[in-house]
C-alpha cells in the first residue's frame, strides 16, 4: 500500500519550502511530503533569480513565516530600489538623475542569498516534521477524486505515494502545466542574463564627486538594488550576504538583440557599449566571475492556478512577469497564502469550491493588472522624466492596494474580496482600469520626453503621499476600516493620475493646468479639453506631484 500524505509538494525551492512552513504553522498535524531533485544542500550564492525582495514578500517571510530574526541575523537588509536614469551620462554616474532613498527606509526588505536561505528553510521545515526527499524526481501523477497518486524516482528506484493535495512548485519546469496543458501565451518577450562575482561592489566608488557621494547616508547605496537604466534595458547590481555581488542584464529584443549579450564575453561587450562605467569596474574583476546564466523570453502565463480537484501551482510553476521591481517573492506569498487557506479549510471538512474559483480569479486579475506595468514599456526605460513619474506611480499603486491587502489578510477574506471586486463599479476593478490607463499615458507621454535632465537627486520619500502609503502597509485594520482605507487610497490615486496628466498635457499642448480630468478616460493622443465630469485640481496633490516633475 502506498504511503499517504495530506499534501505532496513537488519542488523544494523558495516557493515549495515556504509553503510547507506556512502550512505547518497553520496546522502542525498536517502531513507533508516535499520532493526535490537537488542531491544535497544548495551552494552559497546559489545561482537563482529572486535575490531581491520588496515589502509584500518581505512581510510574508518576516511576519507570516516568522523568519524575522533569521533574516536580520544572516541576510542583508535592502535599502530600497535605486535607479540611475539619464543614460546620456553613462560615463559619469554623478551626473545621472538618481532616484532612491537618502537614508534607511522605514519598512524593511532584504537582499537574499538564495542558497543559504533555502538551506535554512529546509532545516526549519524538517524541525516541523515536513518529510523532505532529496535526489528525487516526480515522473508522473494521476489526478483522482479522493487522493492523487504520485510516481517518483529516488536512488534509481521507482516509488509511489498518495496525497489528498498536490502542489507544483517545480519552477519553470512547470510539471503540472505541461502534463495538464494549461499554458497560456504571454506576449512579453524580454530576455535576461545574470552572473555573480566574488566580492562586494559599491557604486559610490564609481565617482570622486564629494557632493554626489554625500547626497546619501554612508552605506545606503551599497545595500540597495541598483538599476542602471537605458532605452530597452536595465542592469541590476545586488549585494549578497556571502559578500559576493549579483549582476544582471534584462533587455527587450526590440531594442537589444539577445545574441549581443547571451554569453559572458558578449555580455561584457554589450556593457562596454551600453553601460561603459559599469564595464570598466567589472572588467577589473572579471577573473572573479563565478557563473553565468541565460533566460530567454522569461515571462510566462497560465490558464489555471488553483483547482477544485485539489491541486495548485505556486511560484514560477504558474506565471512569471518580470524581475523589474522584484515582484517574484510577492507572487509566491500571495499564491502560498491562497493555497494554505484552501488546504487548511479542506482539512477541516469545509466546502472550498467557491473559494477556489474566487481565489483563482483574484490571482489572475492581479497578474493581468501587473502585466500592464511592463508590457511594451521597455522603450521608456531611457526616458528620465517618464521613469520618475512611472516609478512614483507604480509604488503608490503597489503600496496603496495589493501590499496593504496582503498585510491585512484581505486576499483570503471573501467579504473583503466581494466588497472590492464583486462588480465592475467596485473600487478594486476601478483600480485595475485606472492603472492600465495610466500606463498608457506614460507610453504616450514618453514620445515627447526628450529633455536631457542631469545633476538631480529624487527621493520618493520627499512625497508625503508616498511616505503615508509606505508606512500604511504596517498598520492593521478591521474589515470596515481596510475597505475604507483602500477606497481612500484609490481616490488619491485618481487625483494623482489627473495631476500628472495636467502637467503632461500643459507641456505638450499648452493646455491649462486647471482643467478638469477624468482619469479613466484621459488620453494624450489628441489635445485634451476640460471634462465637465472630471476631477478638479487638488492643491495638496499638486504640490506632491511637483516633487517628481523636473521639466
Amino acid at each position: 500500500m502506498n504511503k499517504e500524505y495530506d499534501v505532496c509538494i513537488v519542488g523544494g525551492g523558495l516557493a515549495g519550502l515556504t509553503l510547507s512552513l506556512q502550512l505547518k504553522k497553520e496546522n502542525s498535524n498536517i502531513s507533508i511530503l516535499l520532493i526535490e531533485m537537488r542531491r544535497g544542500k544548495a551552494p552559497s550564492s546559489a545561482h537563482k533569480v529572486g535575490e531581491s525582495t520588496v515589502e509584500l514578500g518581505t512581510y510574508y517571510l518576516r511576519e507570516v513565516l516568522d523568519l524575522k530574526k533569521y533574516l536580520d541575523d544572516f541576510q542583508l537588509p535592502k535599502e530600497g530600489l535605486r535607479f540611475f536614469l539619464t543614460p546620456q551620462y553613462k560615463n559619469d554616474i554623478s551626473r545621472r538623475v538618481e532616484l532612491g532613498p537618502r537614508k534607511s527606509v522605514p519598512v524593511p526588505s532584504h537582499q537574499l542569498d538564495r542558497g543559504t536561505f533555502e538551506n535554512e528553510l529546509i532545516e526549519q521545515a524538517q524541525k516541523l516534521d515536513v518529510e523532505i526527499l532529496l535526489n528525487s524526481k516526480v515522473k508522473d501523477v494521476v489526478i483522482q477524486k479522493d487522493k492523487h497518486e504520485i510516481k517518483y524516482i529516488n536512488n534509481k528506484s521507482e516509488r509511489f505515494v498518495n496525497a489528498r493535495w498536490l502542489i507544483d512548485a517545480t519552477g519553470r519546469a512547470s510539471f503540472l502545466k505541461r502534463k495538464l496543458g494549461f499554458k497560456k501565451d504571454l506576449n512579453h518577450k524580454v530576455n535576461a542574463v545574470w552572473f555573480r562575482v566574488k566580492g562586494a561592489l559599491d557604486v559610490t566608488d564609481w565617482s570622486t564627486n564629494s557632493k554626489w557621494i554625500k547626497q546619501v547616508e554612508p552605506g545606503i547605496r551599497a545595500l540597495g538594488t541598483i538599476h542602471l537604466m537605458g532605452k530597452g534595458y536595465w542592469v541590476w547590481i545586488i549585494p549578497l550576504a556571502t559578500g559576493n555581488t549579483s549582476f544582471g542584464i534584462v533587455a527587450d529584443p526590440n531594442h537589444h538583440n539577445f545574441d549581443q549579450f547571451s554569453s559572458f564575453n558578449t555580455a561584457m561587450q554589450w556593457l562596454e557599449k551600453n553601460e561603459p562605467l559599469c564595464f570598466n569596474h567589472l572588467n577589473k574583476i572579471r577573473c572573479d566571475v563565478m557563473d553565468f546564466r541565460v533566460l530567454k523570453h522569461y515571462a510566462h502565463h497560465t490558464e489555471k492556478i488553483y483547482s477544485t480537484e485539489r491541486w495548485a501551482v505556486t511560484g514560477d510553476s504558474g506565471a512569471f512577469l518580470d524581475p523589474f521591481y522584484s515582484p517574484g517573492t510577492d507572487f509566491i506569498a500571495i499564491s502560498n497564502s491562497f493555497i494554505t487557506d484552501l488546504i487548511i479549510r479542506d482539512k477541516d471538512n469545509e466546502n472550498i469550491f467557491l473559494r477556489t474559483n474566487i481565489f483563482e480569479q483574484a490571482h489572475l486579475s492581479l497578474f493581468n493588472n501587473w502585466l500592464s506595468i511592463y508590457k511594451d514599456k521597455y522603450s521608456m526605460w531611457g526616458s528620465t522624466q517618464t521613469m520618475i513619474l512611472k516609478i512614483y506611480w507604480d509604488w503608490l499603486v503597489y503600496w496603496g492596494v495589493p501590499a496593504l491587502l496582503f498585510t491585512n489578510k484581505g486576499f483570503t477574506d471573501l467579504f473583503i474580496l466581494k466588497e472590492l471586486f464583486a462588480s465592475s463599479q467596485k473600487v478594486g476593478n476601478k483600480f485595475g482600469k485606472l492603472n492600465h490607463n495610466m500606463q498608457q499615458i506614460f507610453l504616450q507621454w514618453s514620445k515627447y520626453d526628450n529633455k536631457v535632465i542631469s545633476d538631480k537627486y529624487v527621493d520618493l520619500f520627499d512625497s508625503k503621499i508616498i511616505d503615508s502609503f509606505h508606512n500604511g502597509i504596517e498598520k492593521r485594520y478591521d474589515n470596515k476600516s481596510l475597505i475604507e482605507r483602500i477606497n481612500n487610497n484609490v481616490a488619491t490615486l485618481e487625483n494623482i493620475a489627473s495631476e500628472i496628466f495636467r502637467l503632461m498635457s500643459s507641456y505638450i499642448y499648452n493646455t491649462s493646468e486647471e482643467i478638469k480630468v477624468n482619469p479613466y478616460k484621459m488620453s494624450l493622443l489628441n489635445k485634451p479639453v476640460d471634462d465637465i465630469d472630471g476631477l478638479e485640481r487638488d492643491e495638496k496633490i499638486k504640490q506632491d506631484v511637483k516633487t517628481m516633475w523636473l521639466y
Side-chain angles (χ1 to χ4, degrees), residues 77-80 101-107 216-217 220 461 470:
K78 170 179 165 180
E79 296 297 353
R102 294 188 182 90
K103 57 185 181 181
S104 187
V105 293
V107 179
V216 180
E217 287 186 357
I220 296 298
F461 292 97
H470 189 238

Side-chain angles (χ1 to χ4, degrees), residues 188-221:
H188 180 58
K189 308 296 185 184
V190 181
N191 306 308
V193 302
W194 69 100
F195 52 95
R196 277 88 43 80
V197 297
K198 295 177 182 177
L201 191 148
D202 184 355
V203 297
T204 305
D205 299 332
W206 292 9
S207 176
T208 58
N209 184 325
S210 60
K211 181 182 178 182
W212 174 78
I213 292 171
K214 292 176 182 178
Q215 285 181 139
V216 180
E217 287 186 357
I220 296 298
R221 282 195 183 101

